[in-house]
Amino acid sequence: MPPRRPNSGGGTSASAALPPPKKVPSRFLFRAASVACGVQFGWALQLSLLTPYVQELGIPHAFASLVWLCGPLSGLLVQPLVGHLSDRLAPADSPLGRRRPFIAAGAASIAAAVLAVGFSADLGRLFGDSVQPGTTRFGAIIVYLVGFWLLDVGNNATQGPCRAFLADLTENDPRRTRIANAYFSLFMALGNILGYATGAYSGWYKIFPFTVTASCGVSCANLKSAFLLDIIILAITTYVTVASVEEPRSFGSDEAERPSHQEEAFLFELFGSFKYFTLPVWMVLIVTSLTWIGWFPFILFDTDWMGREIYRGSPEIVTDTQKYHDGVRMGSFGLMLNSVILGVTSVVMEKLCRKWGAGLVWGVSNIIMALCFVAMLIITYVAKNTDYGPSGEPPTGIVVASIIVFTILGAPLAVTYSIPYAMAASRVENLGLGQGLAMGILNLSIVIPQIIVSLGSGPWDQLFGGGNAPAFFVAAAASFVGGLVAILGLPRARIASRRRGQR
């Protein structure tokens, strides 16, 4: 265990007599970030399998994006509230400190949620759902929506306190905070690799034969089995995070020098804190919002795009179902490669930021995002105007091009998973706000764009023919603008001039 940080609340003279706090070793930061693997394992399954699954339950493609409103709506208040509560929880009030109880509770919520989502078809039959193909299963949809909402509540309740936990352990040193968030991003990449590989494998029902039931066929049983694996991975990584490192017992200015607005009610504190924001903080929030307007259409429709536009399948038409699932599995394979690049980029993230500056790295990554989304639009056009022949199989070149685009997007995703959080942690700390509330505020700039995209992408797509291309056009435009704002408005000065003694 690393040594505890000395208490800073004994006055100026007492504080001056105490030795400086020792830095938490990097290996403990690494372990503290490991819960991201378990959380992201389930998130990867959610992203690759659930949009096709809800359409199997009978929700039309035009309304599939509305289902994803559960996530941003819960994140709109859950993550700021959980962050606020963890800031207020005194370390002495809990044997696990102030962040880890929320991490453990969030993980338990995720486990309960994936059981509800995985068994929604079986539970729906108890409410009278028909097992005939092509029918709308209202009971399963209700169970699914409840589980999906709880899943996003758990995700928000876990990731926010974990990011704040890392900021506490690094004492908001910009370099160490970036390293800690790079570890977090690396574990997210590992979780993605495991999750997408699990989603791409179609034989889980053979390993877990009990998952196949009258109301849950092969594809449903694969999803159910994958979520059972998620519970195991989540339990292991949560234990490592909670048990491997002790929280600091005092938090310096975060506890002793809080401004008076920290004593206000939560909503007043949340929105009242906006008046304390400096221009650099606003720039981080603006670029984050534009970045996620770019990411969310891809997150919603990546595997669906592969199944519909590339493989020309459909979950609603029985004769085209197999082609659609072949495309979904190929999309999951592409996302697995995406996660490999995400992990590699996370490893070199600190070196990139030291050489070019975090703002420039973030801006360039957004430009790469925009180019990838434009490439997806081009691939969509080529696929639409290509003769697939009697077999109906897409040409190898189109499939390979699609997978390459998925893979390249792993690099900007690594930036999105680390740099915004490191920037927010260092800039908001200077305002005297707690790190939990800071992560919640940053989350607002993520979920509000998600709400906009969820509400608009379905009708927008239907307006232009029902495909996914219109949403990707918006994603490309938002990413490009976000990249320009990051390059022009965020710091680009190199920080490699720090002396080794400052590290």
Side-chain angles (χ1 to χ4, degrees):
M1 290 287 181
R4 296 181 180 180
R5 296 165 58 185
N7 193 321
S8 60
T12 304
S13 59
S15 297
L18 292 173
K22 294 184 178 180
K23 293 181 178 179
V24 176
S26 295
R27 66 181 183 275
F28 289 106
L29 298 178
F30 187 79
R31 296 174 189 173
S34 63
V35 72
C37 178
V39 174
Q40 200 67 18
F41 182 92
W43 184 244
L45 295 175
Q46 188 177 353
L47 297 181
S48 62
L49 300 179
L50 292 191
T51 292
Y53 181 60
V54 298
Q55 294 175 75
E56 285 187 37
L57 296 180
I59 299 177
H61 176 265
F63 298 102
S65 63
L66 295 178
V67 174
W68 288 79
L69 272 175
C70 300
L73 285 177
S74 65
L76 188 65
L77 286 179
V78 169
Q79 192 168 122
L81 177 59
V82 170
H84 170 85
L85 293 175
S86 68
D87 286 338
R88 291 290 188 89
L89 183 66
D93 294 339
S94 167
L96 293 178
R98 62 176 183 173
R99 310 293 186 194
R100 290 179 292 171
F102 293 95
I103 295 172
S109 298
I110 294 173
V114 297
L115 286 175
V117 170
F119 286 84
S120 57
D122 299 304
L123 295 173
R125 191 180 183 192
L126 298 178
F127 296 121
D129 283 352
S130 171
V131 296
Q132 296 298 321
T135 58
T136 301
R137 308 182 190 183
F138 291 104
I141 290 172
I142 292 173
V143 174
Y144 171 87
L145 290 176
V146 172
F148 191 81
W149 177 82
L150 183 61
L151 180 58
D152 281 290
V153 168
N155 283 334
N156 282 296
T158 304
Q159 292 200 47
C162 190
R163 296 275 193 181
F165 184 32
L166 295 175
D168 292 339
L169 294 175
T170 58
E171 300 172 337
N172 302 299
D173 178 286
R175 175 182 173 274
R176 287 172 55 79
T177 300
R178 282 197 303 273
I179 291 173
N181 279 280
Y183 288 156
F184 195 89
S185 180
L186 179 62
F187 274 111
M188 292 179 82
L190 178 59
N192 276 338
I193 293 171
L194 295 174
Y196 291 132
T198 301
Y201 180 59
S202 59
W204 291 114
Y205 72 97
K206 298 177 183 178
I207 301 174
F208 302 98
F210 64 89
T211 58
V212 180
T213 63
S215 56
C216 186
V218 170
S219 62
C220 170
N222 279 325
L223 180 143
K224 188 191 302 182
S225 302
F227 277 140
L228 292 176
L229 291 173
D230 177 37
I231 293 176
I232 298 173
I233 299 295
L234 181 65
I236 294 172
T237 56
T238 301
Y239 173 79
V240 172
T241 291
V242 171
S244 64
V245 59
E246 184 178 359
E247 289 192 46
R249 308 304 291 182
S250 95
F251 298 86
S253 62
D254 191 28
E255 217 173 58
E257 300 175 8
R258 287 182 181 173
S260 60
H261 68 274
Q262 288 279 338
E263 301 304 321
E264 300 170 1
F266 165 64
L267 288 177
F268 287 103
E269 180 176 351
L270 175 63
F271 295 106
S273 62
F274 292 170
K275 64 185 178 182
Y276 296 94
F277 290 178
T278 59
L279 181 59
V281 173
W282 282 114
M283 295 302 295
V284 170
L285 298 181
I286 290 170
V287 177
T288 300
S289 295
L290 290 168
T291 301
W292 279 98
I293 290 176
W295 275 124
F296 204 55
F298 178 78
I299 288 172
L300 274 177
F301 298 121
D302 43 20
T303 55
D304 184 74
W305 173 77
M306 189 74 81
R308 288 180 184 273
E309 270 81 1
I310 305 305
Y311 277 75
R312 295 181 179 174
S314 173
E316 297 98 349
I317 302 174
V318 176
T319 56
D320 292 339
T321 300
Q322 185 58 48
K323 290 191 291 184
Y324 180 79
H325 286 297
D326 289 343
V328 168
R329 282 193 292 273
M330 187 58 68
S332 296
F333 175 72
L335 292 173
M336 183 185 68
L337 297 179
N338 169 290
S339 301
V340 173
I341 299 301
L342 192 161
V344 172
T345 307
S346 298
V347 172
V348 301
M349 184 73 66
E350 170 59 16
K351 292 183 179 179
L352 293 175
C353 291
R354 291 176 60 200
K355 184 175 182 179
W356 295 326
L360 181 60
V361 171
W362 192 0
V364 170
S365 78
N366 274 29
I367 301 298
I368 294 173
M369 279 175 60
L371 294 176
C372 286
F373 296 143
V374 170
M376 292 178 72
L377 293 173
I378 295 173
I379 293 171
T380 300
Y381 177 81
V382 172
K384 186 177 180 180
N385 293 277
T386 298
D387 182 11
Y388 280 14
S391 67
E393 295 291 327
T396 302
I398 292 178
V399 175
V400 170
S402 302
I403 292 176
I404 289 174
V405 171
F406 275 38
T407 304
I408 293 173
L409 281 168
L413 189 60
V415 174
T416 303
Y417 283 161
S418 58
I419 288 181
Y421 296 93
M423 281 191 163
S426 59
R427 282 159 176 75
V428 174
E429 170 67 12
N430 296 331
L431 304 178
L433 300 174
Q435 283 299 331
L437 184 60
M439 294 301 103
I441 291 171
L442 182 66
N443 193 59
L444 291 179
S445 64
I446 297 173
V447 300
I448 292 176
Q450 288 181 1
I451 292 173
I452 295 171
V453 173
S454 295
L455 289 174
S457 60
W460 177 255
D461 288 347
Q462 288 301 111
L463 184 64
F464 291 93
N468 296 312
F472 290 144
F473 176 81
V474 173
S479 302
F480 185 77
V481 174
L484 292 181
V485 174
I487 292 172
L488 298 175
L490 292 175
R492 289 188 290 160
R494 297 182 182 183
I495 58 173
S497 59
R498 287 178 176 266
R499 297 182 182 272
R500 291 183 179 270
Q502 292 178 292
R503 297 176 184 176

